[in-house]
Amino acid sequence: MKILAIGLTAFVLVAVVAPHSRAAAPARVSAHGFALTSLTVELPFDETQYPDGPGADVINANCTACHSASMALTQPALTRDQWSAIVSKMADTYKAPIDRHDMPAIVAYLTAMSARLPGAKGPAPRTSNEATTG
Amino acid sequence: MDPLNLALASGSTRRRFLERAVVGGVAFAASPVVAQSLVDLHLPGDPSQRSMTSAFPGKGSMILQRTRPPLLETPMAVFDKDVFTPNDQFFVRWHWADIPTSIDVAAFRLAIHGAVNRSLSLSLAELLSLPRVEMAAINQCSGNSRGFFQPRIPGAQWGHGAMGNARWLGVRLRDVLDLAGVKPGAVAVRFNGLDQPVVPDAPDFEKSLDIDHARDGEVMIAFGMNDQQLPLLNGFPIRLIVPGWYSTYWVKMLSDIEVLTAPDDHFWMAKAYKVPATPGADVVPGGKDFPTVPISKMVPRSWVTNLPEGGQVAFGPAIAVGGIAMGGDTGVKQVEVSVDGGQTWHPTALGPDHGKYSFRRWDAHVALAQRGPIPVMSRCASSAGVIQPMRPIWNPGGFMRGNVETTNIVVG
């Protein structure tokens, strides 16, 4: 708390002496010629929604809390079974708060999205969907 | 340029970078991600295009794979400029969207607990006071190049840019563990960072290493990256460095180290990031009945970086071909190139050796017989004698790609 007290004192002095100056410099820790400086950032927000189509409102309501739409929109053409396994994994493994009644509509939306991809062929070879991450 | 002038020049570059980092690095205004331009990753199927973005704090122009949680890929051209990847173009990968956006270096603590004689709560000042080590090491996502797997595999559709190489400055994990005193019976060490799942009961991202690996004297806790503090999105203020192993173990914003007396049975070790226990982690597409093991050491890889995919090159007696290579968990012995589909291979000259865990530059001039489409390939042999295979592997996670890659150019 000593550091905090010093920081407050410094702030008060700055406020009195130079009310329009910028806030105190961020905290800094250093030793043996290397310094670390406190960091505050803001991450950009994502306005991208799933494009219009049957079920778009459902997928936008269920699937944007944890990740951007781009996660799904960048996927290659996947089969209904693959999308179904992925949506189930999101709910069961990653605890996504998806309304169970909405799952068929979400899978249908994603399957239709895959079918619209240029060059989308027939069913791809079945692939297991274990924890795919990285 | 003589060594002194070179040192002065790089010092002045560093100062300029520092000034920019201070001016631009303290606070960023939140803004929407706006596509600046599109880039084609040349994946085997759509969607292959991605937006470029400079909207992320501490980051320059990056390939946008996902805004939240961020997945940012390094453009291949960056790797042609230097074997060390600039911090502001180093790839970014987070699992959960709850990422602290403010780190107070005076308040930050690293906890060490579990099977130790003394539980510790180390300040950054204490970490900075421990004996220092610096090491060049490649940080590569387990799923780097997943977008090139065929049949395609769900997951982050990375091109080849989910990797980077940096000079990491920090302390030995062993020294920190010895401060706490590891008790007899310890078998593993689990690492956790400040990032959190955004939903209740979801598995927090944690990884672990066997105790002998954790104490091998190479695994580091880094606070420096190419002479700077880490960008927040690369794990500020400290991250784990596991040389030769995939990035999944390089826990960012490292805040908690737990010494375990039983193998880690939590989700991210027991269920995720598992690969087939087969040679090269390779199975028949669609195969399911095979034993799996946690992903671990990297494999040799190499890329042509001076020629873009689909590039037009003027015909001449020889073309310059250059790029980068890595040995995986060991150094690079040699790199060869081919311009005839892998029928004949030509030697290359290796650049400076920055250590066995670093990228190694290679360059060659290769004779051309005719005009037309030319597949340019590079093939790395590690110092352990492992040579990149021509045939791609396949596994259900899309991990550990390591085959010879091809850059197609047109000579006219």
Side-chain angles (χ1 to χ4, degrees):
Chain A
M1 286 307 96
K2 191 176 177 184
I3 292 170
L4 179 62
I6 293 168
L8 284 174
T9 308
F11 179 76
V12 170
L13 284 175
V14 166
V16 169
V17 175
H20 299 298
S21 71
R22 291 188 298 171
R28 191 167 173 275
V29 170
S30 70
H32 303 305
F34 195 87
L36 295 172
T37 305
S38 291
L39 201 53
T40 297
V41 304
E42 288 195 49
L43 298 176
F45 57 86
D46 191 1
E47 294 179 311
T48 310
Q49 296 273 299
Y50 288 89
D52 283 346
D57 53 339
V58 177
I59 195 167
N60 277 317
N62 279 282
C63 301
T64 52
C66 295
H67 63 81
S68 298
S70 61
M71 191 65 204
L73 298 175
T74 55
Q75 295 303 306
L78 302 175
T79 64
R80 179 179 297 274
D81 283 353
Q82 285 177 307
W83 279 122
S84 182
I86 290 168
V87 174
S88 295
K89 186 175 74 178
M90 292 300 142
D92 299 337
T93 303
Y94 297 121
K95 312 300 178 191
I98 302 172
D99 188 329
R100 292 274 155 182
H101 300 293
D102 287 342
M103 287 174 72
I106 294 168
V107 172
Y109 179 94
L110 293 166
T111 306
M113 179 186 82
S114 279
R116 282 195 304 272
L117 283 175
K121 304 186 194 88
R126 285 180 59 86
T127 59
S128 62
N129 280 298
E130 62 177 44
T132 300
T133 188
Chain B
M1 191 179 280
D2 68 41
L4 179 61
N5 282 339
L6 187 65
L8 287 171
S10 72
S12 112
T13 305
R14 193 174 303 158
R15 274 195 301 279
R16 281 200 300 277
F17 179 83
L18 259 181
E19 284 157 14
R20 277 207 309 279
V22 169
V23 169
V26 172
F28 292 82
S31 54
V33 173
V34 178
Q36 293 161 331
S37 61
L38 292 175
V39 61
D40 193 339
L41 298 180
H42 301 284
L43 304 182
D46 288 308
S48 182
Q49 291 198 324
R50 301 286 184 273
S51 299
M52 297 298 296
T53 179
S54 299
F56 287 81
K59 292 289 151 184
S61 187
M62 300 291 288
I63 299 165
L64 179 64
Q65 291 280 8
R66 184 178 70 192
T67 301
R68 183 173 172 275
L71 297 180
L72 306 176
E73 179 169 342
T74 304
M76 284 307 282
V78 171
F79 300 113
D80 196 51
K81 295 177 188 161
D82 194 346
V83 290
F84 293 108
T85 315
N87 292 4
D88 70 343
Q89 288 191 293
F90 208 99
F91 90 102
V92 169
R93 192 269 186 267
W94 292 84
H95 295 83
W96 292 113
D98 183 353
I99 303 165
T101 53
S102 187
I103 300 288
D104 178 349
V105 294
F108 182 89
R109 293 292 182 274
L110 170 63
I112 300 104
H113 62 108
V116 293
N117 295 324
R118 294 167 297 280
S119 293
L120 299 177
S121 176
L122 293 180
S123 68
L124 290 171
E126 288 168 315
L127 271 180
L128 286 166
S129 300
L130 292 175
R132 298 258 171 96
V133 285
E134 188 175 49
M135 182 189 291
I138 296 159
N139 176 227
Q140 180 185 209
C141 184
S142 308
N144 191 26
S145 315
R146 180 182 292 117
F148 296 103
F149 276 72
Q150 291 182 282
R152 299 292 294 277
I153 293 166
Q157 299 299 307
W158 297 112
H160 296 304
M163 61 175 183
N165 184 40
R167 293 185 309 276
W168 306 99
L169 179 69
V171 301
R172 291 183 192 89
L173 175 61
R174 183 177 64 197
D175 290 347
V176 171
L177 290 173
D178 286 353
L179 278 180
V182 173
K183 283 184 173 172
V187 301
V189 183
R190 180 159 55 211
F191 307 93
N192 196 357
L194 292 176
D195 52 323
Q196 291 283 320
V198 291
V199 287
D201 303 324
D204 191 10
F205 184 73
E206 308 164 301
K207 296 296 290 188
S208 61
L209 299 173
D210 289 346
I211 186 73
D212 290 345
H213 188 186
R215 298 191 74 258
D216 73 357
E218 287 196 329
V219 177
M220 291 171 60
I221 298 170
F223 41 74
M225 177 176 177
N226 296 326
D227 303 321
Q228 308 291 320
Q229 64 183 26
L230 280 63
L232 184 129
L233 288 174
N234 293 109
F236 181 80
I238 52 174
R239 82 178 297 175
L240 199 68
I241 305 301
V242 189
W245 282 43
Y246 285 98
S247 181
T248 181
Y249 294 96
W250 299 40
V251 171
K252 298 181 291 295
M253 286 189 186
L254 177 66
S255 60
D256 190 279
I257 297 176
E258 182 182 5
V259 179
L260 306 176
T261 53
D264 185 359
D265 60 356
H266 289 189
F267 173 78
W268 294 98
M269 285 302 296
K271 297 282 172 57
Y273 287 105
K274 302 287 286 288
V275 294
T278 57
D282 187 26
V283 294
V284 173
K288 284 182 178 176
D289 297 321
F290 48 81
T292 63
V293 292
I295 195 168
S296 60
K297 295 173 178 175
M298 297 193 288
V299 296
R301 301 197 72 179
S302 64
W303 296 266
V304 172
T305 57
N306 74 321
L307 300 168
E309 172 69 22
Q312 306 273 328
V313 176
F315 182 77
I319 55 166
V321 181
I324 53 169
M326 56 184 280
D329 64 330
T330 185
V332 172
K333 184 165 118 192
Q334 66 173 17
V335 177
E336 300 167 298
V337 291
S338 170
V339 292
D340 62 2
Q343 300 299 304
T344 54
W345 293 90
H346 308 276
T348 72
L350 295 182
D353 184 358
H354 297 284
K356 64 180 182 178
Y357 298 120
S358 171
F359 281 142
R360 191 91 185 256
R361 177 74 195 186
W362 56 267
D363 283 286
H365 279 83
V366 184
L368 288 179
Q370 80 262 344
R371 297 165 197 268
I374 303 274
V376 185
M377 299 172 173
S378 61
R379 183 171 74 177
C380 174
S382 77
S383 49
V386 181
I387 300 172
Q388 287 187 262
M390 287 294 287
R391 190 178 68 81
I393 59 159
W394 195 92
N395 58 59
F399 297 136
M400 291 180 69
R401 183 174 168 98
N403 56 280
V404 168
E405 304 290 352
T406 303
T407 301
N408 295 288
I409 61 168
V410 179
V411 177

